[in-house]
Amino acid sequence: MSVSPPRPKGPPLTALRAFEAAARLGGFARAAEELGVTAGAVTQQIKGLEGWIGAELFERQAQGVRLSPLGARVAADFTAAFDDLGRAVQGLRTAAGGKVVHIATLPSIAQLWLSPRLPMIRQAMPEVTVSITALETPPNLLRDTFDVGIFYREPLKIPQNPA
């Protein structure tokens, strides 16, 4: 029987996700909303991550939090890493050849616009299952497992070319 020390554990992926979301969105409450957890859960995940690395990633202030110099230095790397992970997951789903189309949309669009069109979609593509998730805010299609997002938004303002 060989005797070897246990391998050191890295930080939990959930803590890294909490850090990345809070850094990108500018606060724990907004990160909690995106991740579907409480702000207290995000706070605990980040505290655990800070304990693991032995340094603060956020400066706590009376009016909220802001990234520490260390947090600001590494935040973009984590955003890029989670975007890459999201693309890899989408690639995995595509390669698996799934027959489910996942649609994210506002509840009103799901009920009033999309629902009446489902029979026509099912008739045109009987081999495909349509999965609809009603959300109040658009998902990040780079990371979330939706194939399509249908949401209202403000029209783009295209600068006019002065002649």
Side-chain angles (χ1 to χ4, degrees), residues 89-156:
V89 169
Q90 290 288 7
L92 178 62
R93 285 184 57 215
T94 300
K99 301 278 187 190
V100 178
V101 175
H102 299 273
I103 301 172
T105 188
L106 286 167
S108 58
I109 293 174
Q111 181 180 9
L112 301 173
W113 185 81
L114 192 54
S115 181
R117 289 163 173 79
L118 282 178
M120 181 178 58
I121 293 169
R122 287 188 180 116
Q123 185 178 4
M125 300 180 295
E127 73 284 358
V128 174
T129 301
V130 177
S131 170
I132 301 170
T133 302
L135 300 172
E136 292 296 330
T137 57
N140 180 340
L141 294 177
L142 288 176
R143 296 185 185 185
D144 291 320
T145 57
F146 296 106
D147 301 303
V148 179
I150 306 172
F151 291 84
Y152 293 111
R153 69 173 220 184
E154 292 294 318
L156 293 175

Side-chain angles (χ1 to χ4, degrees), residues 10 13 17 27 34-35 43 58 66 75-76 96 111 116 118 121 125-126 132 138 145 158:
L13 187 58
R17 266 187 80 128
E34 180 179 281
L35 298 172
T43 301
F58 288 91
R66 71 175 188 173
Q111 181 180 9
L118 282 178
I121 293 169
M125 300 180 295
I132 301 170
T145 57
I158 301 171

Side-chain angles (χ1 to χ4, degrees), residues 62-88:
Q63 63 273 27
V65 297
R66 71 175 188 173
L67 285 168
S68 70
L70 172 62
R73 190 167 59 237
V74 300
D77 292 339
F78 281 94
T79 296
F82 279 104
D83 286 347
D84 287 345
L85 184 59
R87 280 189 287 277

